[in-house]
Amino acid sequence: MVSKGKAKEKKQQRKEMLARMGAAQQLLSKANVPDKDHMDTLIPFKKYNRNNVDLSIECVHYEQVKDDGDTFETIYQILEGNMKAEYDACYWGWNEKDKRDELKEKNPWFLVAKNSEGQTVAFSHFKFDFDEEIAVLYCYEVQVTEDMRGKGVGKFLMQILELIGSKAEMQKIMITVFKHNPRAIHFFADILKYADDETSPKFMDPMDEKDYCYEIMSKTLKVKKASGS
């Protein structure tokens, strides 16, 4: 039998868990309003003028992107061009329909970077979501065209995501990387200072870690509460 003390403790723990989830859900609902401008206080970050690159950057919900077929198609083409080989090298494989659907599902957001000709040359696909009872910003993709690589664009987009996440009061930002992609691991671990997340397979299933082709990494965010945000 469970003692009264243990039962009371479990009841209190459940109450605290529900309170955390309720608070997280409020933050997620607030962040996922489709016409919300997550860069309204990040005006300097709407332009990127470095390394002979001149880009404009906007943060948009899929509801806005879907009405611009050219932008969405370019986003998909950049993703496929950069990542198809990486997926094919893993047991996941590449499935065009699945990837197109993933770009549209469950309140997706995008950072879209365009050059002076209005061409999309980089993007990030992300969501505000739950992870282990807390609210997080999950970055599913950060991709740049081949001619934009090595110019700091990807790092700049990730910096914007961290600011957006902090502003939205997300507790951390998370990403998934393929273990067979050392360049991505170097980018996130060494340059951006991400660490292996507690939900990564190496911690969740250490006995069968070799069965996984990916790791989950994360970075704790400094929450910045802004009036009217």
Side-chain angles (χ1 to χ4, degrees):
M1 293 180 64
V2 179
S3 67
K4 290 184 178 180
K6 286 290 186 180
K8 185 176 181 180
E9 181 181 347
K10 287 187 176 181
K11 184 176 181 180
Q12 180 61 29
Q13 289 175 346
R14 176 170 174 75
K15 182 178 179 181
E16 292 172 356
M17 178 193 72
L18 291 174
R20 288 193 298 270
M21 293 184 67
Q25 184 58 63
Q26 287 186 347
L27 292 174
L28 294 174
S29 295
K30 187 176 180 180
N32 278 317
V33 176
D35 61 353
K36 186 176 181 65
D37 183 2
H38 285 287
M39 294 185 69
D40 59 351
T41 60
L42 304 176
I43 305 303
F45 291 87
K46 291 187 175 185
K47 292 288 185 181
Y48 184 80
N49 303 107
R50 303 176 194 172
N51 303 320
N52 296 316
V53 175
D54 182 11
L55 304 177
S56 60
I57 300 169
E58 61 178 345
C59 179
V60 291
H61 189 273
Y62 173 67
E63 289 298 318
Q64 296 163 278
V65 174
K66 72 178 183 180
D67 294 328
D68 183 351
D70 290 341
T71 295
F72 183 81
E73 185 58 28
T74 302
I75 284 173
Y76 174 78
Q77 292 300 329
I78 294 173
L79 174 61
E80 182 180 66
N82 289 353
M83 296 301 294
K84 184 178 185 299
E86 298 291 340
Y87 274 79
D88 285 341
C90 170
Y91 60 83
W92 286 351
W94 181 266
N95 183 298
E96 178 174 343
K97 181 181 183 302
D98 288 349
K99 296 310 295 182
R100 285 182 179 274
D101 288 345
E102 185 180 282
L103 289 170
K104 305 173 185 178
E105 292 173 345
K106 300 179 181 178
N107 275 320
W109 290 83
F110 298 88
L111 285 180
V112 181
K114 296 186 177 184
N115 61 21
S116 56
E117 286 76 43
Q119 300 168 324
T120 299
V121 296
F123 76 93
S124 175
H125 165 220
F126 68 99
K127 298 179 184 179
F128 300 101
D129 210 346
F130 272 114
D131 182 76
E132 298 292 312
E133 303 172 14
I134 65 173
V136 303
L137 187 155
Y138 208 114
C139 174
Y140 285 81
E141 304 288 348
V142 56
Q143 303 291 340
V144 301
T145 55
E146 187 172 357
D147 60 319
M148 287 290 114
R149 293 175 188 169
K151 300 179 183 295
V153 178
K155 181 179 179 181
F156 192 70
L157 292 183
M158 291 305 301
Q159 290 173 331
I160 294 174
L161 287 187
E162 290 179 21
L163 292 170
I164 289 174
S166 293
K167 181 171 175 286
E169 299 180 50
M170 302 293 108
Q171 291 196 29
K172 60 184 177 180
I173 181 169
M174 303 178 67
I175 56 98
T176 301
V177 293
F178 283 125
K179 292 194 289 188
H180 56 270
N181 188 341
R183 185 176 66 180
I185 293 173
H186 168 70
F187 175 67
F188 287 106
D190 301 326
I191 297 177
L192 298 180
K193 307 304 180 185
Y194 280 60
D196 293 327
D197 191 76
E198 61 187 1
T199 61
S200 194
K202 67 169 59 177
F203 301 125
M204 299 295 287
D205 194 9
M207 298 299 292
D208 295 309
E209 183 191 354
K210 64 182 183 299
D211 293 337
Y212 299 88
C213 60
Y214 67 94
E215 297 289 1
I216 298 173
M217 305 180 76
S218 65
K219 186 176 187 178
T220 300
L221 297 175
K222 295 179 180 179
V223 174
K224 296 181 180 179
K225 295 183 179 180
S227 58
S229 63

